[in-house]
Amino acid sequence: MMTAAARVAPQSARRFPPLGPLLVAALILAFLVAFLVLPVGSVVYTAFSDGAGGFTLGHVSAAMQQSLFRESFWNSFAVACWSVLFATLIAVPLAYFTVRFDFRGALLIQTLGVLPLVMPPFVGAVAMQLIFGRSGSVNLLLGDAFGINIPFMQGLTGVVFVEAIHYFPFILMNLVAAMRNIDGAMEESAMNLGARGWRLFRRVIFPLSLPGYVAGASLVFVKVFDDLGTPLVLGQTNMLAPQAYLRITSVGLDDPLGYVISVVMIVLSILALWLSARSLKGRDFATTQKGGTTLRKRKLVGWENAAVSLWIVALLAVTLSPHIGLLLMSFSKVWSFSVLPEGFTLEHYETMFSDSGRMISNTLIYCGVAALIDVVLGVAIAYLILRTRIIGRHWLDWISSAALAIPGVVLAIGFLRVFRDVDLPFGGGPVTGTALVIVIAYSIRRLPYAVRSCLAALQQVHASLEEAAQSLGAKRLSVIRRIVIPLMTGGILAGFITSFMTAAVELSATIMLVTRESQAPMSYGIYLYMQSAAGRGPGAALGVLAVLIVALGTYFSHRVADRAAGHTGAAG
C-alpha cells in the first residue's frame, strides 16, 4: 500500500520545478536586468519624466504632433517591410539551391553569402554609391550604351537597396540551418505522392523550415529600425533612427523627444518579434531523425548546372557589389565620375597595417568573447523556454529580444548613466573607462541573434529524443551535453557567427564607449578613416581585412557544421 508521503512526493515534484533551471534562469535574469533593463530604464525615465521627478505624457504628445515624426515613422515601417521582401527574394533561393542540390561551389556560396554582415552599413552605402549611384559605374555604362540613368540609390529606394543587401544573410544563415535539419524521409514521402519541384518546395520543404525563415525575417525587420549609418550617408534623415540620433546629439543628452523616439522603436521591434513568435504558436516543426537522413541532394548536370550557376553568380555579383566597391576603393588613388578608379596603389594597406594593428586584435577579442557569451545565454534561454515549465520563462526571450531595437547610442548613454560611478574591484577604475563595458555592450546588442538561432534549432529537436535518453537513466545535464547541443550545432554556429560579425561592425555604441584609442576596435577605426576623402582608402583597406577574417571563420564554421551533421547521422 502506498503511504501518504509517497503520494505527496510526486505532486510536490510536479508543483515545484527543479532547482537547477531556476538557478540558471535567475542568473540570466540578473545579467539582463543589470546590463539591459537598468540602462534602458534610465532612457525610458527621461522620455516620461517632467524634469521634477513626476510622470508625464507631454513629451509623447509633442512628438506625435510633429509631422516630421509621423513621416519618419511611416518611412521606417515601409523601408523595413520592403527590405524584408527583397532580402527574402535573395536569401530563399540561395539557401534552397545550396542545401537541396549538389554542385561545385555550394559551400563557397554559403560563405560569400554572409559577407555583407561584416561590412558597416554606412561603408557599404559609400561603396554602392560609387557603383550604383547617379554617377556610379553602372549608370555611366548604361548612359553610354542606352542613354538611361536608373535611380538605384535615390531617396528611400537607395536605403531599401542597401538594407536588403546588407541584412539578407540573417535569413540565409537561419534558413540553411533549418533546411539541414529537415528529415529526408518527409521529402521522399512527398515525392512518392507526386510532389515535385515548386510544389514540393511550397508544400513540404519551406513549411518545415519556417522557424528558421521567421527567425531571420524578424531580425531583418527590426534591425532596419536600428540602422543609423545608411540613412545618414544617403541623406535620408526622415526616419526614426536618424531622428533619435540627431535629437540626442544636436539638442542634448537630456532631450526628451530623442528618447521618446527610442522608446517607440523599442515598442515596435518587440511587437514585431512577438508577432513572429505568435505566428508559429501551436504548430509542430520537429522531426525525429537528423544527420544522415537530411534532404537528399540532387546532382545538377548539363544545362541545369549552367543555369543555376549563372543565376547565382549574377545574384552574388549584386549582393557582393559593396565588397567589390570596397576592394577597388582600397587600391584606388582617385575614383570619381569614372567607371573604374583612375589609378591604383598599395599605400592604403601600408597605412592600415602601421596604424591599426591594435584595432584588429581588439576586434577579435571583443567580438569573440561577446559572441561566446551570446551563444551560452542563447542555448540556456532556448532550453528554458522550450523544455521547462518555469513560470515567466518567456520573459527571458522578450527581455533579451528587446535589445535588438535599442539604438546603440541610447544603450551607451544608459551605460554611462548607470555605471559611471561604479568602480571595478581592486582599484580597477570606473567600469565605463575599461574595455569590459564594450564587450558587455556588444553581447547585449547581439544577444537576440543567438537566441533566435538557438530557438529555431531547438524547435526542430523532438522532445522524444531527450525523453528516450532519460528513460534509459541519463541525467538532464548529460542529455543536454550529448544529445541536445550536438543536434543544435547548426543553430549555435549560426548564432555565434551572426553575433561575431554584427558585433565587429557595431559603431553607434562604440563611439560613445571608447575612451581612448588603445581600446578602439576596427569599426571605430573605419569610421574615423571615412570621415574624410583622404582617409577612405585606409578605411576601405581596414574593411577588406575585416571581410577576409570573417570569410575564413565562416568557411571553417560550415566545415565544422557539416562534419558534426555527419557524425550525428552516423551515431544515429
Side-chain angles (χ1 to χ4, degrees):
M1 182 179 295
M2 183 179 295
T3 63
R7 289 194 301 270
V8 172
Q11 296 176 359
S12 301
R14 287 194 298 267
R15 184 178 297 116
F16 301 104
L19 182 61
L22 283 175
L23 180 59
V24 173
L27 292 175
I28 295 174
L29 184 61
F31 179 85
L32 294 175
V33 168
F35 300 114
L36 178 60
V37 176
L38 289 180
V40 174
S42 66
V43 174
V44 175
Y45 174 82
T46 304
F48 295 100
S49 175
D50 61 3
F55 176 82
T56 180
L57 292 175
H59 305 316
V60 178
S61 177
M64 296 295 182
Q65 293 174 4
Q66 293 186 5
S67 59
L68 180 58
F69 172 81
R70 297 193 299 271
E71 179 187 1
S72 299
F73 172 85
W74 290 113
N75 284 345
S76 293
F77 184 80
V79 168
C81 291
W82 283 107
S83 297
V84 170
L85 175 61
F86 284 106
T88 299
L89 295 177
I90 296 172
V92 172
L94 283 179
Y96 179 70
F97 283 134
T98 54
V99 174
R100 180 64 177 82
F101 299 105
D102 184 15
F103 58 96
R104 183 175 298 178
L107 183 58
L108 179 62
I109 290 172
Q110 292 178 6
T111 302
L112 295 177
V114 301
L115 290 185
L117 287 179
V118 75
M119 183 183 295
F122 73 93
V123 178
V126 172
M128 290 180 67
Q129 280 184 317
L130 294 174
I131 297 178
F132 294 102
R134 184 184 298 273
S135 300
S137 303
V138 172
N139 274 317
L140 288 176
L141 292 174
L142 290 175
D144 292 340
F146 306 104
I148 61 174
N149 190 290
I150 301 177
F152 294 106
M153 301 294 295
Q154 300 301 311
L156 295 178
T157 302
V159 179
V160 172
F161 191 25
V162 175
E163 302 281 18
I165 288 179
H166 184 76
Y167 291 122
F168 84 88
F170 287 151
I171 299 177
L172 176 64
M173 295 175 67
N174 286 283
L175 199 55
V176 166
M179 287 183 175
R180 281 176 172 169
N181 288 338
I182 296 176
D183 185 0
M186 305 284 289
E187 179 192 23
E188 293 178 2
S189 299
M191 294 179 67
N192 290 336
L193 294 174
R196 294 290 190 279
W198 167 248
R199 185 180 181 187
L200 176 65
F201 174 79
R202 179 175 59 89
R203 299 292 296 275
V204 179
I205 295 177
F206 187 73
L208 287 176
S209 59
L210 201 57
Y213 171 75
V214 172
S218 62
L219 290 178
V220 173
F221 183 91
V222 298
K223 187 57 185 171
V224 171
F225 282 90
D226 183 29
D227 187 9
L228 173 64
T230 302
L232 288 180
V233 167
L234 297 180
Q236 300 301 308
T237 59
N238 53 346
M239 297 176 64
L240 289 180
Q243 283 300 307
Y245 170 78
L246 293 174
R247 294 291 308 191
I248 293 172
T249 56
S250 62
V251 179
L253 297 179
D254 294 322
D255 174 55
L257 292 185
Y259 295 110
V260 168
I261 298 175
S262 301
V263 170
V264 171
M265 294 169 63
I266 294 172
V267 172
L268 287 174
S269 296
I270 293 177
L271 180 61
L273 292 172
W274 178 80
L275 289 175
S276 67
R278 185 73 177 179
S279 66
L280 300 178
K281 188 175 182 180
R283 303 174 65 181
D284 187 10
F285 302 92
T287 57
T288 58
Q289 301 184 54
K290 294 188 49 144
T293 58
T294 55
L295 289 179
R296 184 182 60 185
K297 285 194 173 185
R298 182 166 70 88
K299 190 172 183 62
L300 293 177
V301 294
W303 69 269
E304 291 181 334
N305 185 44
V308 170
S309 299
L310 182 63
W311 183 85
I312 290 179
V313 167
L315 188 60
L316 287 179
V318 176
T319 59
L320 296 178
S321 59
H323 301 77
I324 298 173
L326 187 71
L327 182 63
L328 292 175
M329 193 190 309
S330 69
F331 288 105
S332 65
K333 290 183 178 180
V334 179
W335 189 6
S336 179
F337 297 98
S338 59
V339 175
L340 293 173
E342 299 177 7
F344 297 93
T345 180
L346 293 175
E347 294 179 359
H348 303 319
Y349 284 90
E350 296 175 1
T351 302
M352 180 265 293
F353 281 115
S354 63
D355 297 344
S356 308
R358 185 66 177 269
M359 294 179 182
I360 298 170
S361 61
N362 286 345
T363 299
L364 298 177
I365 295 173
Y366 296 168
C367 300
V369 174
L372 181 61
I373 294 173
D374 286 342
V375 295
V376 171
L377 293 177
V379 171
I381 291 174
Y383 192 85
L384 290 171
I385 292 173
L386 299 178
R387 295 295 192 264
T388 71
R389 295 185 177 275
I390 297 176
I391 297 176
R393 62 191 182 278
H394 291 286
W395 280 98
L396 295 176
D397 183 19
W398 297 335
I399 295 174
S400 62
S401 298
L404 190 66
I406 300 170
V409 171
V410 176
L411 180 65
I413 292 172
F415 270 43
L416 294 175
R417 287 184 170 182
V418 173
F419 300 110
R420 62 184 174 184
D421 296 326
V422 178
D423 293 335
L424 291 173
F426 309 109
V431 174
T432 54
T434 66
L436 177 63
V437 71
I438 301 176
V439 173
I440 294 176
Y442 284 0
S443 63
I444 288 292
R445 291 268 290 156
R446 309 308 172 188
L447 178 59
Y449 305 151
V451 172
R452 293 293 101 198
S453 296
C454 292
L455 277 172
L458 189 56
Q459 277 182 301
Q460 295 183 298
V461 178
H462 205 285
S464 63
L465 299 175
E466 303 168 54
E467 294 169 357
Q470 289 179 323
S471 67
L472 295 175
K475 302 295 183 182
R476 174 174 294 208
L477 287 179
S478 179
V479 172
I480 295 174
R481 179 174 59 87
R482 302 187 63 178
I483 296 179
V484 177
I485 292 180
L487 294 180
M488 293 175 60
T489 299
I492 293 174
L493 282 174
F496 183 90
I497 295 171
T498 305
S499 296
F500 183 94
M501 290 190 299
T502 53
V505 299
E506 169 63 39
L507 179 62
S508 53
T510 305
I511 292 176
M512 300 294 297
L513 296 176
V514 170
T515 58
R516 53 184 181 273
E517 188 174 343
S518 61
Q519 296 178 342
M522 293 172 63
S523 59
Y524 187 79
I526 294 173
Y527 171 77
L528 292 181
Y529 280 129
M530 290 295 177
Q531 294 305 298
S532 63
R536 287 187 174 182
L542 193 58
V544 169
L545 179 62
V547 170
L548 292 177
I549 292 174
V550 175
L552 291 175
T554 303
Y555 176 79
F556 287 114
S557 296
H558 281 301
R559 295 291 298 270
V560 171
D562 290 338
R563 189 173 302 173
H567 290 333
T568 303

